[in-house]
mmCIF file of all heavy atoms in Angstrom:
data_model
loop_
_atom_site.group_PDB
_atom_site.id
_atom_site.type_symbol
_atom_site.label_atom_id
_atom_site.label_comp_id
_atom_site.label_asym_id
_atom_site.label_seq_id
_atom_site.Cartn_x
_atom_site.Cartn_y
_atom_site.Cartn_z
ATOM 1 N N VAL P 43 137.758 123.293 84.587
ATOM 2 C CA VAL P 43 137.703 121.971 85.218
ATOM 3 C C VAL P 43 137.123 120.959 84.223
ATOM 4 O O VAL P 43 136.196 121.272 83.476
ATOM 5 C CB VAL P 43 136.880 122.007 86.518
ATOM 6 C CG1 VAL P 43 135.461 122.488 86.271
ATOM 7 C CG2 VAL P 43 136.886 120.657 87.226
ATOM 8 N N THR P 44 137.701 119.762 84.213
ATOM 9 C CA THR P 44 137.217 118.698 83.340
ATOM 10 C C THR P 44 136.733 117.521 84.162
ATOM 11 O O THR P 44 137.459 117.032 85.045
ATOM 12 C CB THR P 44 138.321 118.230 82.374
ATOM 13 O OG1 THR P 44 138.651 119.306 81.500
ATOM 14 C CG2 THR P 44 137.847 117.056 81.531
ATOM 15 N N LEU P 45 135.534 117.085 83.873
ATOM 16 C CA LEU P 45 134.943 115.930 84.533
ATOM 17 C C LEU P 45 135.029 114.740 83.581
ATOM 18 O O LEU P 45 134.580 114.826 82.435
ATOM 19 C CB LEU P 45 133.474 116.207 84.893
ATOM 20 C CG LEU P 45 133.192 117.511 85.637
ATOM 21 C CD1 LEU P 45 131.712 117.645 85.941
ATOM 22 C CD2 LEU P 45 134.023 117.604 86.898
ATOM 23 N N ASP P 46 135.594 113.658 84.076
ATOM 24 C CA ASP P 46 135.833 112.502 83.220
ATOM 25 C C ASP P 46 134.676 111.511 83.253
ATOM 26 O O ASP P 46 134.030 111.314 84.280
ATOM 27 C CB ASP P 46 137.114 111.775 83.660
ATOM 28 C CG ASP P 46 138.356 112.648 83.530
ATOM 29 O OD1 ASP P 46 138.359 113.553 82.675
ATOM 30 O OD2 ASP P 46 139.323 112.417 84.287
ATOM 31 N N CYS P 47 134.449 110.877 82.114
ATOM 32 C CA CYS P 47 133.436 109.829 82.018
ATOM 33 C C CYS P 47 133.943 108.767 81.051
ATOM 34 O O CYS P 47 134.273 109.078 79.898
ATOM 35 C CB CYS P 47 132.110 110.397 81.516
ATOM 36 S SG CYS P 47 130.846 109.145 81.181
ATOM 37 N N VAL P 48 134.010 107.537 81.517
ATOM 38 C CA VAL P 48 134.415 106.412 80.675
ATOM 39 C C VAL P 48 133.282 105.404 80.683
ATOM 40 O O VAL P 48 132.714 105.115 81.737
ATOM 41 C CB VAL P 48 135.716 105.779 81.205
ATOM 42 C CG1 VAL P 48 136.063 104.529 80.408
ATOM 43 C CG2 VAL P 48 136.862 106.777 81.134
ATOM 44 N N TYR P 49 132.972 104.856 79.529
ATOM 45 C CA TYR P 49 131.824 103.956 79.453
ATOM 46 C C TYR P 49 132.217 102.632 78.807
ATOM 47 O O TYR P 49 133.229 102.525 78.133
ATOM 48 C CB TYR P 49 130.680 104.610 78.669
ATOM 49 C CG TYR P 49 131.030 104.921 77.239
ATOM 50 C CD1 TYR P 49 130.767 104.018 76.214
ATOM 51 C CD2 TYR P 49 131.655 106.123 76.908
ATOM 52 C CE1 TYR P 49 131.106 104.291 74.915
ATOM 53 C CE2 TYR P 49 132.007 106.405 75.597
ATOM 54 C CZ TYR P 49 131.728 105.492 74.602
ATOM 55 O OH TYR P 49 132.076 105.766 73.309
ATOM 56 N N GLU P 50 131.392 101.639 79.045
ATOM 57 C CA GLU P 50 131.567 100.320 78.435
ATOM 58 C C GLU P 50 130.235 99.883 77.844
ATOM 59 O O GLU P 50 129.202 99.950 78.515
ATOM 60 C CB GLU P 50 132.012 99.279 79.470
ATOM 61 C CG GLU P 50 133.376 99.525 80.075
ATOM 62 C CD GLU P 50 133.716 98.494 81.135
ATOM 63 O OE1 GLU P 50 133.171 97.366 81.074
ATOM 64 O OE2 GLU P 50 134.523 98.805 82.037
ATOM 65 N N THR P 51 130.269 99.426 76.618
ATOM 66 C CA THR P 51 129.068 98.909 75.981
ATOM 67 C C THR P 51 129.456 97.994 74.838
ATOM 68 O O THR P 51 130.508 98.177 74.237
ATOM 69 C CB THR P 51 128.171 100.052 75.466
ATOM 70 O OG1 THR P 51 127.028 99.483 74.810
ATOM 71 C CG2 THR P 51 128.905 100.942 74.496
ATOM 72 N N ARG P 52 128.581 97.049 74.523
ATOM 73 C CA ARG P 52 128.825 96.175 73.380
ATOM 74 C C ARG P 52 127.989 96.612 72.185
ATOM 75 O O ARG P 52 128.164 96.093 71.087
ATOM 76 C CB ARG P 52 128.471 94.733 73.745
ATOM 77 C CG ARG P 52 129.387 94.146 74.800
ATOM 78 C CD ARG P 52 129.064 92.701 75.092
ATOM 79 N NE ARG P 52 129.973 92.124 76.082
ATOM 80 C CZ ARG P 52 129.889 90.874 76.522
ATOM 81 N NH1 ARG P 52 128.940 90.072 76.078
ATOM 82 N NH2 ARG P 52 130.743 90.423 77.422
ATOM 83 N N ASP P 53 127.092 97.549 72.410
ATOM 84 C CA ASP P 53 126.253 98.034 71.322
ATOM 85 C C ASP P 53 127.040 98.974 70.425
ATOM 86 O O ASP P 53 127.960 99.665 70.881
ATOM 87 C CB ASP P 53 125.042 98.781 71.880
ATOM 88 C CG ASP P 53 123.915 97.848 72.261
ATOM 89 O OD1 ASP P 53 124.150 96.623 72.329
ATOM 90 O OD2 ASP P 53 122.800 98.337 72.498
ATOM 91 N N THR P 54 126.656 99.018 69.169
ATOM 92 C CA THR P 54 127.265 99.992 68.256
ATOM 93 C C THR P 54 126.441 101.267 68.215
ATOM 94 O O THR P 54 126.931 102.312 67.824
ATOM 95 C CB THR P 54 127.375 99.411 66.839
ATOM 96 O OG1 THR P 54 126.077 98.982 66.409
ATOM 97 C CG2 THR P 54 128.337 98.234 66.820
#
Side-chain angles (χ1 to χ4, degrees):
Chain P
V43 58
T44 295
L45 310 181
D46 298 333
C47 173
V48 175
Y49 62 92
E50 295 177 25
T51 178
R52 293 183 178 179
D53 276 13
T54 55

